[in-house]
Amino acid sequence: MKRTPLLLALLLAACSPKVHDAASSEALPAIYPDYVGVTIPASIAPLDFQLEGADALDVRITAPDGTQLRSYGNAYTCFPEKKWARLLEKSVGDSLQVSVSGLQGDKWTTYRSFGIFVSPDAIDYGLTYRLLEPGYEIYSHMGIYERELSSFRQRALLENTQFDGCVNCHASMRGKPEDFSLHIRGAHGATLLSLDGELNAYETRTDSTLGFCVYPYWHPSGRYIAYSTNNTRQGFHVQPDKIIEVFDLASDLQIYDVQKNQLISAPQVKQEGLWETFPVFSADGKTLYFTRAAQISIPSELPLSHYNLMKVSFDPETGTIGEDVETVIDAHAMGKSITFPRPSYDGKYLMYTLCDYGTFSIWHHESDLWLLDLETGQTRSIQEVNSADTDSYHNWSTNSRWFVFSSRRDTGSYTRLYIAHFGEDGQAGKPFMLPQRNPAAYYEDLFYSYNVPDFVTGPVPLDRIRAQKAVNASERVPFGFRRSR
């Protein structure tokens, strides 16, 4: 007989020992996901969890004013969204106290209570990300999705069931949902650009560039988008602890001028014998950061592929790329490689991923998040958030007080999303997994990986049918081209 939550609660009340007879334990509860001692925003969905080995839970969450929220009877908590939101509103700037009792067999145990701090720092409306199935030779099911952070609502923005190909390389204009760039790879290859809500499919290849524009990053003015063009390939390892390697055979940089519909390039970011990728603008828009490596022989010398963090000036008034390229972090000298640089929007920091080699850190178990202080030049591992497995693909909230990243720490095989608070002192809080209803069952059944999460300040106004028609149509808006000095 399938037991409903109500029936289970009645059976527990009738047949089980009372919770007030529970044994006490000084240990913290082993809950999944691990929300013990985390810092959260006041507009986050309920942090539902389960207790390892428990058949039923009695969980009480108490606000500083004594208001209490209880979940009783199920093997996982199920806090009502509205009551949870009101509890968080009462607790801003203070901590919730969480008491957990678990039933194992016929014995209740009450564990040491713990706190959850509710930060006064706001977080953005939601996240966009790609979800994709494991697959290497064909385009499996994938899509770009939007998640409202204050609830469990997820909706598809665009899926590859609407066309034949791959959907990837998406980015909004610093959280602005009306402006975004999204690349389609395959038979209907195109770059979808939404500018103030007007959507068009662009042909971003030109006779003067390597190929399609990918890895977009917007200028703070909204006038420019930095892209790279990459000749990307993949290979497979024979070692049991590694599966796949993704690498570039060539890559260059260019900047798209939205107003003039022109790609801007310059010899200093398109050099023979060097590979440039992952371009990003600084918070003030006057510097272009990117990663660069010396060309090597693939695949024999792949472990020698080390990307440094570079920078070059950019003049947004004239759209001119500076002549002097500087090395910011010499990862090659460390025997390491830098990928995915992301400056904070307040201009103080730059977060990046550090791995042993290569440019596709998501497949490297040793990948960790690092932080560069742009004022002092000091850099460090963000030990507060890093794990023993892959930590990579990160983005900042628009107020620079939170960041989201993907990690394989949960299973070692699938990437999950984690959010961490970032204080004004440059220290990160303990990360928490993106909340889900019945999270253990949800993530156990989810055969998709999260990929390239980004914050948005509101719902993305994308018409899926219109986007589908634009991708499947043969017409493309061509990019022009001009050389910087």
Side-chain angles (χ1 to χ4, degrees):
M1 177 180 63
K2 184 178 180 180
R3 294 177 176 177
T4 64
L6 176 59
L7 178 57
L8 179 59
L10 291 173
L11 289 172
L12 287 168
C15 305
S16 300
K18 301 298 183 184
V19 179
H20 61 72
D21 295 329
S24 296
S25 172
E26 287 302 309
L28 287 167
I31 61 173
Y32 177 88
D34 179 8
Y35 292 135
V36 176
V38 298
T39 296
I40 62 173
S43 58
I44 196 70
L47 302 187
D48 286 330
F49 60 83
Q50 71 175 43
L51 177 67
E52 182 179 343
D55 301 310
L57 294 178
D58 183 16
V59 177
R60 301 165 191 255
I61 301 184
T62 307
D65 68 353
T67 302
Q68 194 172 87
L69 191 59
R70 185 185 187 192
S71 179
Y72 174 75
N74 293 328
Y76 60 91
T77 63
C78 190
F79 299 113
E81 289 184 18
K82 291 183 179 180
K83 290 183 178 180
W84 170 267
R86 288 196 291 268
L87 194 74
L88 264 57
E89 288 175 5
K90 294 173 178 288
S91 309
V92 174
D94 210 329
S95 292
L96 299 165
Q97 292 301 313
V98 185
S99 174
V100 178
S101 297
L103 178 66
Q104 293 178 297
D106 61 354
K107 180 182 177 181
W108 281 97
T109 301
T110 298
Y111 297 87
R112 178 154 57 101
S113 62
F114 62 89
I116 294 176
F117 184 73
V118 184
S119 173
D121 293 325
I123 199 167
D124 294 315
Y125 163 84
L127 297 172
T128 57
Y129 43 77
R130 185 167 69 153
L131 283 173
L132 67 162
E133 293 177 323
Y136 310 109
E137 297 299 331
I138 61 173
Y139 295 128
S140 302
H141 180 236
M142 66 180 72
I144 305 296
Y145 298 85
E146 174 190 284
R147 166 68 187 266
E148 184 181 49
L149 285 175
S150 62
S151 74
F152 300 103
R153 190 176 72 92
Q154 174 182 280
R155 69 184 181 98
L157 298 177
L158 190 65
E159 295 175 299
N160 69 338
T161 53
Q162 299 175 253
F163 52 87
D164 179 21
C166 164
V167 54
N168 64 352
C169 295
H170 67 283
S172 63
M173 201 286 280
R174 305 203 168 206
K176 185 180 178 182
E178 298 86 2
D179 292 350
F180 64 84
S181 174
L182 192 160
H183 182 61
I184 307 297
R185 185 180 298 162
H188 299 279
T191 293
L192 289 179
L193 272 181
S194 176
L195 304 172
D196 291 325
E198 182 178 345
L199 185 71
N200 286 292
Y202 287 80
E203 171 60 68
T204 59
R205 293 174 297 186
T206 74
D207 294 337
S208 301
T209 54
L210 186 64
F212 283 113
C213 288
V214 295
Y215 299 143
Y217 194 89
W218 291 72
H219 192 269
S221 67
R223 176 175 174 177
Y224 303 99
I225 309 173
Y227 289 104
S228 66
T229 54
N230 303 66
N231 184 0
T232 303
R233 295 292 185 270
Q234 64 181 13
F236 297 89
H237 289 282
V238 295
Q239 299 98 316
D241 61 332
K242 295 183 179 181
I243 301 174
I244 188 173
E245 194 72 52
V246 179
F247 48 85
D248 289 334
L249 297 179
S251 56
D252 294 320
L253 303 185
Q254 53 271 313
I255 296 171
Y256 176 59
D257 186 331
V258 172
Q259 291 183 6
K260 296 184 177 181
N261 188 35
Q262 288 181 330
L263 283 177
I264 306 166
S265 185
Q268 54 270 33
V269 293
K270 190 183 178 183
Q271 293 195 30
E272 290 293 329
L274 295 174
W275 296 337
E276 301 96 350
T277 189
F278 292 135
V280 292
F281 288 109
S282 60
D284 62 7
K286 296 180 180 179
T287 300
L288 183 72
Y289 293 97
F290 59 97
T291 62
R292 169 187 279 177
Q295 181 179 339
I296 58 169
S297 177
I298 299 291
S300 61
E301 295 181 333
L302 186 58
L304 303 178
S305 174
H306 297 135
Y307 285 75
N308 293 332
L309 180 64
M310 315 297 293
K311 71 176 182 179
V312 67
S313 64
F314 178 72
D315 184 349
E317 295 297 323
T318 62
T320 303
I321 299 170
E323 295 183 358
D324 298 324
V325 177
E326 302 177 43
T327 301
V328 181
I329 299 177
D330 188 350
H332 177 74
M334 303 162 56
K336 296 290 184 178
S337 191
I338 290 175
T339 72
F340 214 63
R342 282 294 183 269
S344 59
Y345 294 126
D346 61 9
K348 296 181 179 179
Y349 300 95
L350 183 145
M351 193 179 297
Y352 61 93
T353 300
L354 191 72
C355 58
D356 285 348
Y357 63 89
T359 185
F360 215 75
S361 52
I362 196 66
W363 288 108
H364 285 235
H365 296 291
E366 79 281 358
S367 296
D368 279 334
L369 297 178
W370 281 61
L371 189 72
L372 170 66
D373 187 321
L374 293 174
E375 296 177 354
T376 67
Q378 297 297 307
T379 187
R380 69 176 182 90
S381 169
I382 313 178
Q383 297 179 354
E384 312 95 287
V385 305
N386 287 325
S387 69
D389 215 315
T390 308
D391 299 299
S392 184
Y393 276 164
H394 47 280
N395 266 310
W396 296 88
S397 65
T398 56
N399 63 1
S400 302
R401 294 277 71 87
W402 305 89
F403 61 93
V404 60
F405 64 98
S406 67
S407 177
R408 294 185 188 267
R409 68 186 67 189
D410 188 38
T411 66
S413 299
Y414 294 92
T415 53
R416 309 301 189 212
L417 294 188
Y418 291 79
I419 298 172
H421 180 258
F422 189 80
E424 294 184 5
D425 61 355
Q427 296 296 307
K430 178 179 177 179
F432 62 91
M433 186 184 281
L434 181 66
Q436 305 289 354
R437 279 292 189 217
N438 192 358
Y442 178 89
Y443 284 113
E444 184 178 354
D445 293 340
L446 184 68
F447 292 101
Y448 289 81
S449 281
Y450 289 87
N451 185 257
V452 196
D454 198 7
F455 286 94
V456 284
T457 58
V460 178
L462 175 64
D463 185 327
R464 290 188 63 187
I465 303 303
R466 183 181 172 194
Q468 177 180 343
K469 291 180 178 179
V471 173
N472 287 318
S474 59
E475 297 82 11
R476 298 286 185 264
V477 179
F479 271 7
F481 181 83
R482 78 171 186 265
R483 293 192 182 278
S484 181
R485 65 184 180 203

